[in-house]
């Protein structure tokens, strides 16, 4: 017999679906939150008949105490296997019962589902097939966020569908599909549901783009937003909307959790998560809303004003225009950014030329957004500024 303890997101449930297909009635699957896993491990290890069951853990890491308990269980003749892909769990590789891989041998980022699939194939628990390959790859691309770079909307749609059903319903539908069909496809009802869901997500994200608070935490700038849904999509869109921020922190007061996302290669949000009893990937992690985290991400932002979005339908006041573009600061500063040949990007704040020169527009914009909470103004304000500036210098 096998007992699988896995995460309750798409990647974790993907492991459960593969386990049920491969091991059938010989396996029991239990899905857990990040905070709920350790209790389930303790319950299993306290059972009298545990040595007759192989313990499988996927997409989750165990506490230090359970790490010791599992090692003792294995030393006593028990069988356990932990398969994970989070960087924060790599220390478990010191044990023979753990296998934590951030990347596959081909260089692609790993997911728990893709690693577990390899495990099942290597041990001949399941036969490889085209539809299983495709399902696993869809889960992997969504969980590693490669779908966005590859524009693989099918992977995103699979995750959207996951949240439309209960886990039991999703499992049942996927298992029937994966065992009776040769190619992975959505049926007509699912396509209609996905269209409705896409509209709902877009409206939700548009609203949340007006509720982002900028906060300097440590030596990094975070964008803090309170949201209970669509964390991956929201984190990605907000990162693109406010690229001057190092990462986005999505606060869930109800569940006392924070989801962290970044699009920057030089930022590791798993390090941020580790400060608040969390972990995960470099670009996607999560942590507990500890008292320290509550102070930094909730209390300190409470009296702040949300960031204002850049004007997005301009024809003339456009970012990176060498002739110049105009921003408005938090305290009514008018900030004109222009390129001077042979020097670089220069700032004129309230018509006063600044000495600092920036090599790139991105650096100049990051500076004014972080320092002045600035946003790109609409064309009409841009023209008024140019007209006022011209008239003043004609006098």
């Amino acid at each position: 017999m096998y007992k699988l303890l896995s995460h309750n997101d798409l990647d974790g449930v993907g492991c459960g679906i593969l386990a049920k297909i491969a091991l059938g009635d010989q396996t029991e699957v239990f899905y857990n939150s990040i905070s709920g896993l350790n209790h389930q491990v303790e319950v299993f290890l306290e059972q009298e008949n545990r040595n007759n069951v192989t313990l499988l853990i996927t997409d989750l890491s165990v506490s230090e105490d359970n790490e010791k308990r599992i090692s003792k269980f294995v030393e006593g003749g028990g069988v356990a296997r932990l398969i994970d892909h989070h960087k924060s769990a790599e220390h478990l590789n010191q044990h023979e019962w753990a296998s934590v891989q951030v990347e596959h041998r081909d260089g692609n980022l790993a997911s728990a589902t893709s690693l577990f699939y390899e495990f099942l194939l290597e041990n001949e628990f399941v036969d490889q097939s085209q539809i299983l390959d495709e399902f696993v790859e869809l889960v992997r691309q969504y969980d590693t966020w490669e779908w966005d770079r590859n524009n693989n909307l099918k992977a995103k749609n699979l995750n959207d569908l996951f949240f439309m059903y209960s886990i039991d319903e999703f499992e049942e539908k996927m298992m029937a599909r994966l065992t009776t069909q040769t190619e992975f496809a959505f049926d007509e009802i699912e396509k209609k549901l996905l269209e409705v869901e896409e509209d709902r997500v877009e409206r939700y994200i548009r609203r949340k783009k007006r509720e982002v608070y900028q906060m300097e935490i440590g030596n990094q700038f975070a964008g803090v937003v309170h949201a209970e849904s669509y964390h991956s999509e929201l984190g990605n869109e907000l990162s693109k909307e406010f690229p001057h921020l190092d990462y986005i922190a999505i606060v869930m007061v109800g569940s006392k959790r924070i989801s962290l996302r970044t699009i920057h290669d030089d930022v590791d949000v798993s390090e941020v998560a580790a400060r608040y009893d969390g972990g995960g990937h470099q670009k996607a992690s999560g942590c507990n809303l500890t008292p320290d985290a509550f102070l930094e991400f909730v209390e300190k932002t409470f009296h702040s004003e949300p960031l204002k979005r850049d004007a997005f339908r301009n024809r003339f006041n456009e970012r990176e225009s060498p002739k110049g573009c105009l921003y408005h600061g938090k305290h009514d500063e008018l900030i004109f950014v222009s390129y001077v040949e042979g020097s670089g990007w220069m700032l004129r704040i309230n018509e006063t030329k600044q000495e600092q020169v920036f090599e790139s527009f991105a650096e100049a914009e990051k500076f004014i957004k972080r320092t002045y909470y600035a946003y790109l103004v609409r064309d009409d304000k841009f023209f008024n500024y140019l007209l006022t500036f011209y008239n003043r210098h004609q006098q």
Side-chain angles (χ1 to χ4, degrees):
M1 286 291 295
Y2 298 87
K3 182 169 184 175
L4 174 65
L5 303 178
S6 194
H7 197 194
N8 56 5
D9 67 352
L10 175 64
D11 192 26
V13 174
C15 295
I17 291 170
L18 292 179
K20 289 186 176 182
I21 291 174
L23 305 172
D25 295 335
Q26 294 298 307
T27 185
E28 288 184 304
V29 179
F30 298 88
Y31 298 114
N32 304 269
S33 64
I34 295 173
S35 60
L37 171 71
N38 284 301
H39 174 69
Q40 292 296 328
V41 173
E42 291 173 18
V43 169
F44 169 80
L45 294 176
E46 289 173 358
Q47 294 176 351
E48 294 182 359
N49 61 344
R50 62 185 184 179
N51 286 322
N52 298 322
V53 181
T54 296
L55 175 63
L56 299 172
I57 301 173
T58 55
D59 202 31
L60 289 170
S61 179
V62 294
S63 66
E64 185 176 346
D65 287 341
N66 275 330
E67 181 182 348
K68 295 175 182 177
R69 291 189 183 102
I70 294 174
S71 293
K72 186 177 180 180
F73 168 65
V74 172
E75 289 169 3
V79 181
R81 187 71 172 176
L82 182 146
I83 297 174
D84 194 15
H85 64 124
H86 296 103
K87 182 181 177 181
S88 55
E90 286 184 315
H91 65 280
L92 295 176
N93 282 328
Q94 63 183 301
H95 305 291
E96 291 186 1
W97 49 265
S99 176
V100 181
Q101 290 179 245
V102 177
E103 294 183 352
H104 287 286
R105 287 182 289 271
D106 60 8
N108 286 326
L109 290 173
S111 71
T113 299
S114 61
L115 292 173
F116 189 57
Y117 186 46
E118 285 187 353
F119 169 79
L120 294 174
L121 290 172
E122 289 170 2
N123 289 276
E124 298 182 348
F125 289 127
V126 69
D127 295 325
Q128 188 171 8
S129 67
Q130 177 182 337
I131 191 169
L132 283 179
D133 288 350
E134 186 175 1
F135 172 75
V136 169
E137 180 61 9
L138 290 174
V139 174
R140 187 195 71 80
Q141 286 205 27
Y142 182 80
D143 198 68
T144 61
W145 213 250
E146 284 187 22
W147 76 266
D148 187 53
R149 184 173 67 247
N150 299 333
N151 196 30
N152 187 349
L153 295 179
K154 196 172 184 180
K156 178 185 178 299
N157 288 339
L158 179 62
N159 186 71
D160 291 340
L161 198 66
F162 171 73
F163 282 102
M164 293 181 197
Y165 296 111
S166 69
I167 289 180
D168 289 342
E169 290 174 321
F170 184 79
E171 269 190 333
E172 183 179 350
K173 287 180 176 293
M174 291 302 109
M175 288 178 63
R177 193 162 308 177
L178 296 173
T179 54
T180 61
Q181 300 180 16
T182 57
E183 295 182 3
F184 190 89
F186 301 114
D187 61 34
E188 292 304 315
I189 294 177
E190 290 169 347
K191 290 177 182 177
K192 292 294 183 184
L193 288 173
L194 288 167
E195 288 179 8
V196 173
E197 181 68 4
E198 185 175 353
D199 290 339
R200 183 182 293 117
V201 172
E202 288 181 0
R203 291 196 301 271
Y204 187 80
I205 290 176
R206 279 200 303 270
R207 187 172 77 250
K208 289 300 174 182
K209 283 181 177 181
R210 301 192 295 268
E211 301 174 6
V212 180
Y213 297 85
Q214 178 174 300
M215 180 58 59
E216 187 173 3
I217 301 174
N219 60 350
Q220 294 177 313
F221 281 79
V224 181
V225 62
H226 291 258
E228 297 293 334
S229 306
Y230 311 119
H231 298 151
S232 294
E233 294 90 341
L234 184 60
N236 190 56
E237 288 299 317
L238 294 182
S239 293
K240 292 177 180 178
E241 179 85 9
F242 305 105
H244 70 286
L245 298 171
D246 291 307
Y247 62 90
I248 301 297
I250 304 171
V251 178
M252 297 156 277
V253 175
S255 57
K256 296 182 180 179
R257 293 284 298 171
I258 302 177
S259 182
L260 304 168
R261 296 290 188 273
T262 186
I263 59 172
H264 302 295
D265 294 333
D266 60 342
V267 176
D268 188 345
V269 290
S270 69
E271 295 179 355
V272 180
R275 298 200 293 265
Y276 309 104
D277 302 331
H281 300 297
Q282 176 189 346
K283 295 188 176 183
S285 292
C287 62
N288 294 322
L289 187 58
T290 64
D292 287 343
F294 187 86
L295 173 64
E296 296 286 357
F297 294 97
V298 180
E299 286 191 33
K300 288 186 177 180
T301 61
F302 186 77
H303 296 290
S304 302
E305 292 294 324
L307 291 174
K308 291 191 176 181
R309 300 178 62 191
D310 289 338
F312 51 88
R313 293 179 179 174
N314 286 351
R315 295 178 57 194
F316 301 97
N317 189 35
E318 296 182 319
R319 298 174 65 255
E320 296 191 70
S321 172
K323 295 182 179 179
C325 53
L326 183 65
Y327 288 78
H328 189 277
K330 181 179 181 180
H331 298 293
D332 291 329
E333 300 93 347
L334 290 176
I335 307 169
F336 191 72
V337 186
S338 60
Y339 183 74
V340 178
E341 192 68 38
S343 296
W345 293 89
M346 311 283 290
L347 304 181
R348 185 180 292 274
I349 301 177
N350 292 335
E351 299 190 17
T352 300
K353 185 178 180 181
Q354 307 297 298
E355 294 183 1
Q356 190 170 2
V357 179
F358 300 89
E359 292 184 2
S360 69
F361 177 84
E363 291 176 354
E365 185 182 50
K366 179 186 288 188
F367 173 78
I368 63 174
K369 282 181 172 289
R370 290 185 170 190
T371 306
Y372 299 98
Y373 293 68
Y375 62 94
L376 190 73
V377 304
R378 297 193 307 270
D379 278 342
D380 58 337
K381 291 188 176 181
F382 176 62
F383 286 132
N384 288 337
Y385 173 82
L386 294 179
L387 184 60
T388 301
F389 183 83
Y390 175 79
N391 290 336
R392 188 167 297 171
H393 286 77
Q394 288 293 104
Q395 294 176 358

